[in-house]
């Protein structure tokens, strides 16, 4: 007995979204024993866009399309049928082995120029956009009521012709359009991050604590100059640390509590910490600053690990020396690896965030390394960066949507 000829049909449905549209249309396919090869649905401003690729015998496909046409008229939606050849379908199936990447854009607002810029770069690299979704909440018309951040995620497929050129194009676009762009491989590790390590000064807090101490000691300008030089990578961190500590000699330790209680917390930290703990992240502070202030933040945000530097105290005053090994860039990277081992977390499941040159070692080895409001040298070297919004922008790099977070939190 000769096998019945099979047909592959793509149906696309557009119209006002309403309960039951997908159910009623797929009921027709089910009744006729059609095989669904692919399906996708999106809703934009209560407008439905539904695509279904199905396979059926020639004898059944005509009846299926006729019934779908009548049902779409009844539901007041538009429907279109496109026959797909076996050759074209086979080519499409073979594309699934190609590399997949996620491009996330962040900014204070979303513009057409940003979307167009990303789309052109992707196309120029010979890649294809499979999906685009908004991660931040719906945007009210009243600008005063808008959340001061916007994020969109692109899912793209293919192999870039020149990855370094692509990254350079993203960097140029981000500077021109006042936005941040993250380019990540879409692997299982991206969806399973479990450990995040933060620098403290100028990352979790909007100051360098040693500068605050120096101002109280009357040596603010001297210490600040050394700090800035070290963050730019111009002098060795350990040597700069010793020089700055020496200038604090004689400062009364009572000022540390006052500084801790008035630390300027970075925008987005409260929300970020709450959500990270809720979804099960282990959180660490790996800081070239001081344990006193790291422990203050540990209590405030239920942070799991704090590694920083200990100031030596005698008779209630700082001696100008430190206790133990200095936590520099190399030590931060070692600690990230150590904590990952202790928590049984693959290094590819880790995130590292910092602003200075001494953060680059841990940023470079983490699965997701982020330079936050960083110096130009650090931003250019890091895998990803955030410069336009607060620290909770990390959530969008992790793939979280506001709609989900608002419902769950």
């Amino acid at each position: 007995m000769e096998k019945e000829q099979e047909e592959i049909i793509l149906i696309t449905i557009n119209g006002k979204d309403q309960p039951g549209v997908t159910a009623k249309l797929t009921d027709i396919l089910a009744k006729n024993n059609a095989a669904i090869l692919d399906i996708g649905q999106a809703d934009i401003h209560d407008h439905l866009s539904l695509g279904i690729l199905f396979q059926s015998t020639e004898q059944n496909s005509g009846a299926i399309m006729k019934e779908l046409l009548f049902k779409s008229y009844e539901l007041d939606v538009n429907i279109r049928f496109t026959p797909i050849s076996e050759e074209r379908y086979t080519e499409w199936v073979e594309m699934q082995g190609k590399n997949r990447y996620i491009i996330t854009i962040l900014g204070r607002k979303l513009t057409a120029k940003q979307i167009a810029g990303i789309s052109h770069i992707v196309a120029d690299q010979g890649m294809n956009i499979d999906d685009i979704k908004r991660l931040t909440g719906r945007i009210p018309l009243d600008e005063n009521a808008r959340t001061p951040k916007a994020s969109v995620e692109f899912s793209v497929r293919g192999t870039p012709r020149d990855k370094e050129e692509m990254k350079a194009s993203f960097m140029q676009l981000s500077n021109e359009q006042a936005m941040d762009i993250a380019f990540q491989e879409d692997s299982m590790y991206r969806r399973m991050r479990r450990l995040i390590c933060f620098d403290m000064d100028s990352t979790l807090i909007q100051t360098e604590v040693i500068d605050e101490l120096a101002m109280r000691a009357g040596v603010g300008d001297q210490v600040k100059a050394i700090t800035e030089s070290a963050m730019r990578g111009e002098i060795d961190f350990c040597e700069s640390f010793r020089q700055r500590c020496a200038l604090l000699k004689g400062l009364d330790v009572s000022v540390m509590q006052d500084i801790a209680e008035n630390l300027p917390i970075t925008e987005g930290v409260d929300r970020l910490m709450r959500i990270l703990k809720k979804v099960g992240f282990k959180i660490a502070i790996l800081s070239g600053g001081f344990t006193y202030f790291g422990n203050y933040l540990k209590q405030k945000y239920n942070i799991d690990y704090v590694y920083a530097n200990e100031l030596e105290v005698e008779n209630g005053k700082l001696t100008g020396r430190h206790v133990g090994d200095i936590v520099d860039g190399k030590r931060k990277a070692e600690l990230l690896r150590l904590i990952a081992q202790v928590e049984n977390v693959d290094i590819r499941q880790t995130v590292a965030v910092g602003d200075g040159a001494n953060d680059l070692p841990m940023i470079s080895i983490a699965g997701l390394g982020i330079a936050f409001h960083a110096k130009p040298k650090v931003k250019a070297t890091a895998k990803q960066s955030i410069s336009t919004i607060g620290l909770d922008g990390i959530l969008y790099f992790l793939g979280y949507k506001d709609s989900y977070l608002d419902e769950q939190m």
Side-chain angles (χ1 to χ4, degrees), residues 335-378:
L335 288 166
L336 188 155
R337 290 188 186 278
L338 178 62
I339 297 170
Q341 290 175 3
V342 169
E343 294 293 343
N344 196 26
V345 171
D346 190 288
I347 195 69
R348 288 167 288 188
Q349 293 176 272
T350 65
V351 184
V353 189
D355 74 298
N358 66 321
D359 297 311
L360 281 174
M362 72 171 182
I363 286 175
S364 65
I365 67 168
L368 174 61
I370 303 172
F372 180 73
H373 288 256
K375 312 301 182 289
K377 178 183 175 181
V378 180

Side-chain angles (χ1 to χ4, degrees), residues 95-131:
M95 283 183 66
Q96 70 183 348
K98 288 192 174 183
N99 294 328
R100 293 181 63 90
Y101 296 92
I102 295 295
I103 300 170
T104 312
I105 65 173
L106 300 174
R108 291 294 178 184
K109 62 180 180 179
L110 180 64
T111 70
K113 284 186 177 180
Q114 293 170 346
I115 303 298
I118 293 290
S119 302
H120 279 295
I121 292 171
V122 170
D124 290 345
Q125 290 291 328
M127 304 174 75
N128 187 64
I129 298 173
D130 284 348
D131 184 47

Side-chain angles (χ1 to χ4, degrees), residues 382-397:
K383 299 172 188 175
Q384 320 293 348
S385 66
I386 296 176
S387 299
T388 60
I389 67 173
L391 208 59
D392 56 339
I394 292 169
L395 296 170
Y396 307 118
F397 283 5

Side-chain angles (χ1 to χ4, degrees), residues 117-376:
I118 293 290
S119 302
H120 279 295
I121 292 171
V122 170
D124 290 345
Q125 290 291 328
M127 304 174 75
N128 187 64
I129 298 173
D130 284 348
D131 184 47
I132 303 175
K133 61 183 177 183
R134 173 176 44 82
L135 300 181
T136 41
R138 293 176 178 175
I139 303 170
L141 291 177
D142 180 4
E143 292 195 14
N144 295 323
R146 293 181 184 178
T147 304
K149 55 180 172 284
S151 181
V152 171
E153 181 182 280
F154 295 73
S155 176
V156 301
R157 187 192 301 271
T159 303
R161 292 194 180 100
D162 187 330
K163 188 179 287 189
E164 292 307 311
E165 179 188 87
M166 188 177 190
K167 289 181 178 179
S169 297
F170 283 150
M171 179 74 75
Q172 181 180 348
L173 182 65
S174 67
N175 292 332
E176 292 173 353
Q177 299 297 329
M179 63 175 177
D180 299 310
I181 304 171
F183 181 66
Q184 304 177 60
E185 185 176 348
D186 190 12
S187 68
M188 66 176 183
Y189 296 106
R190 176 184 172 268
R191 304 169 189 275
M192 298 170 60
R193 309 290 190 200
R194 290 293 176 265
L195 169 65
I196 186 165
C197 298
F198 293 98
D199 175 44
M200 180 173 66
D201 296 39
S202 297
T203 300
L204 292 175
I205 56 176
Q206 293 179 301
T207 188
E208 295 285 330
V209 169
I210 198 164
D211 292 345
E212 299 290 331
L213 291 168
M215 283 190 283
R216 302 296 182 95
V219 291
D221 290 341
Q222 294 164 263
V223 167
K224 189 172 183 179
I226 299 171
T227 299
E228 290 177 351
S229 182
M231 290 298 100
R232 291 192 298 266
E234 295 172 353
I235 59 175
D236 174 72
F237 177 81
C238 290
E239 178 57 32
S240 71
F241 180 79
R242 294 187 189 96
Q243 290 179 20
R244 288 175 291 175
C245 282
L247 291 169
L248 301 179
K249 183 177 180 179
L251 182 65
D252 196 292
V253 295
S254 62
V255 303
M256 296 175 72
Q257 181 177 348
D258 181 58
I259 291 173
E261 291 174 352
N262 292 283
L263 288 174
I265 304 299
T266 300
E267 175 193 354
V269 167
D270 290 353
R271 178 176 185 245
L272 175 64
M273 291 297 181
R274 183 177 72 252
I275 292 169
L276 290 177
K277 295 304 293 187
K278 185 78 173 181
V279 299
F281 267 80
K282 291 295 182 178
I283 304 173
I285 290 176
L286 307 181
S287 174
F290 304 114
T291 53
Y292 183 93
F293 305 98
N295 286 331
Y296 178 85
L297 294 176
K298 179 180 180 179
Q299 295 299 317
K300 183 178 178 67
Y301 295 113
N302 192 25
I303 290 169
D304 301 283
Y305 298 91
V306 172
Y307 290 94
N309 297 300
E310 189 74 35
L311 289 169
E312 185 181 69
V313 178
E314 289 181 359
N315 301 318
K317 296 191 182 294
L318 301 183
T319 66
R321 296 185 296 272
H322 64 91
V323 179
D325 295 333
I326 295 174
V327 178
D328 59 1
K330 181 182 177 182
R331 182 59 176 156
K332 287 185 180 187
E334 292 172 350
L335 288 166
L336 188 155
R337 290 188 186 278
L338 178 62
I339 297 170
Q341 290 175 3
V342 169
E343 294 293 343
N344 196 26
V345 171
D346 190 288
I347 195 69
R348 288 167 288 188
Q349 293 176 272
T350 65
V351 184
V353 189
D355 74 298
N358 66 321
D359 297 311
L360 281 174
M362 72 171 182
I363 286 175
S364 65
I365 67 168
L368 174 61
I370 303 172
F372 180 73
H373 288 256
K375 312 301 182 289

Side-chain angles (χ1 to χ4, degrees), residues 16-86:
K16 182 174 175 56
D17 195 14
Q18 54 188 297
V21 172
T22 304
K24 291 171 183 175
L25 294 173
T26 52
D27 276 346
I28 295 170
L29 295 170
K31 183 177 66 176
N32 289 276
N33 295 316
I36 293 181
L37 302 176
D38 196 20
I39 186 168
Q41 180 173 318
D43 183 280
I44 300 178
H45 193 60
D46 291 331
H47 187 89
L48 172 72
S49 180
L50 171 65
I52 303 175
L53 189 66
F54 75 90
Q55 183 182 41
S56 183
T57 63
E58 282 186 353
Q59 182 178 353
N60 277 357
S61 61
I64 290 172
M65 288 189 285
K66 182 178 179 181
E67 196 170 348
L68 285 170
L69 192 61
F70 280 115
K71 181 59 69 174
S72 66
Y73 179 80
E74 179 186 313
L75 295 169
D76 194 26
V77 295
N78 300 314
I79 191 166
R80 180 180 178 184
F81 304 98
T82 305
I84 305 296
S85 68
E86 286 189 13

